[in-house]
Amino acid sequence: VDVSGFEGFEKRLELRFFRNQDPLENSMGLRLIDFESLEKVLQTVQCTVVSAIANKSFDAYVLSE
Amino acid sequence: SSLFVYPTKIIIKTCGTTKLLKSIQPLILLAQNLNLTLSACRYTRGSFIFPKSQPFPHTSFEEEVVVLEEAIPLSLRHRKASVLPSHEPSRAWHVFTASVDFDSNSCVVVEVCMTELDRFLSRSFFGRNGKVMTRESGIDLINANAIVCDFAFDPCGYSMNSIDGDRYSTIHVTPEEGFSYASFECVASVYEDIGEVLKRAIDVFQPGTVSIATTYGGEEYNDEVMTKRVESVLGKKLGLKCRSSCVEVFPGSGTVVYQSFTSCRK
């Protein structure tokens, strides 16, 4: 391991999905994933939510690290 | 780091030694429970400053691609992995894409990586609260219409997400001398002047080096015109000189333009 400071350069992952059913059903889609489940996914990545904001279009979370 | 959750799209952007690719399969499963099926996957990153500190599979792009290939279903048949070069080998841009079909998306995603931040301006990101950092750095003026959610890390560092209708932007700052870094990412429209937005964001940090990866789909975006416009704005207003530029098509997933700049004072 080299002598290092904090790695600023990010890794970015974008996943897109399509609906298997009537688009009018479940218009919230992925936004229905409960917070606890999101936190479990983030634990595997090794970060957590430190702040959050949302509007009618999407949810935005600031993460640790 | 940031997470954005839209009804049919998730974006996770993490720094440090996080294991981002471990999130793919749990997210696919959570989506399946909501009757949603994966249609596209995009993974991007710059070249790490401290590559030997990264955990597997982030130890090399080749290993990351193997893990990505295994984590996504075969239905995402249009696949491509590529490293877009820069004038400096240590500043390459890594891209993996996979998709079921061509997704014509008129949105433009711009990812900016900045190093060698101005020392004086970097001081704004030490020992203050997030709101103060946002205001004193001028980040709040990049998009005056957006709502900002900011967070200050102890003893230094800063992250923010901003939301404006269905568009986000995000900034992350590591201000320490020797490995200072800031990123800016935003969703733009093909019809707006991306150069002006980039100018405002980059001016907050006045970095020595800047790289800009612009991803777009559809045919409305003229990359030659936009590339020249960005070069012109950053050159005239920020004294940044474009050292290299390349364009690569990712079948089913759009086109990436990658430009690298350095300050004329270097």
Side-chain angles (χ1 to χ4, degrees), chain A residues 25-44:
Chain A
E25 245 178 85
N26 181 19
S27 62
M28 289 288 281
L30 298 164
R31 299 182 74 188
L32 291 174
I33 296 173
D34 61 87
F35 184 71
E36 194 176 274
S37 298
L38 281 180
E39 278 276 62
K40 275 187 188 165
V41 175
L42 293 172
Q43 274 172 21
T44 67

Side-chain angles (χ1 to χ4, degrees), chain A residues 1-21 26-34 37-38 41-42 44-47 49-55 57-65, chain B residues 1-16 18-20 23-24 31 34-45 48-50 53-54 58 103 105 111 147 149 161 163 165 168 172 179 181 183 185:
Chain A
V1 176
D2 56 355
V3 177
S4 66
F6 186 78
E7 178 61 63
F9 275 87
E10 298 101 344
K11 311 154 183 119
R12 181 188 186 275
L13 178 70
E14 177 173 327
L15 300 175
R16 289 173 176 264
F17 298 84
F18 63 85
R19 294 187 174 92
N20 298 323
Q21 58 193 40
N26 181 19
S27 62
M28 289 288 281
L30 298 164
R31 299 182 74 188
L32 291 174
I33 296 173
D34 61 87
S37 298
L38 281 180
V41 175
L42 293 172
T44 67
V45 174
Q46 293 184 348
C47 57
V49 173
V50 295
S51 187
I53 191 171
N55 66 11
S57 299
F58 67 105
D59 305 315
Y61 301 90
V62 176
L63 308 178
S64 62
E65 289 298 311
Chain B
S1 300
S2 288
L3 165 67
F4 300 101
V5 183
Y6 287 77
T8 58
K9 178 173 71 177
I10 281 189
I11 298 158
I12 310 188
K13 184 172 186 174
T14 64
C15 56
T18 48
K19 300 175 178 178
L20 181 60
S23 66
I24 298 175
L34 297 165
N35 271 319
L36 293 162
T37 300
L38 188 68
S39 62
C41 170
R42 176 189 298 277
Y43 174 73
T44 55
R45 69 166 174 85
F48 297 121
I49 302 171
F50 306 109
S53 298
Q54 288 295 319
H58 301 289
D103 179 19
N105 188 340
E111 296 169 76
I147 299 167
C149 177
N161 294 326
I163 63 177
Y168 69 85
H172 303 283
F179 48 93
Y181 171 83
S183 68
E185 176 180 331

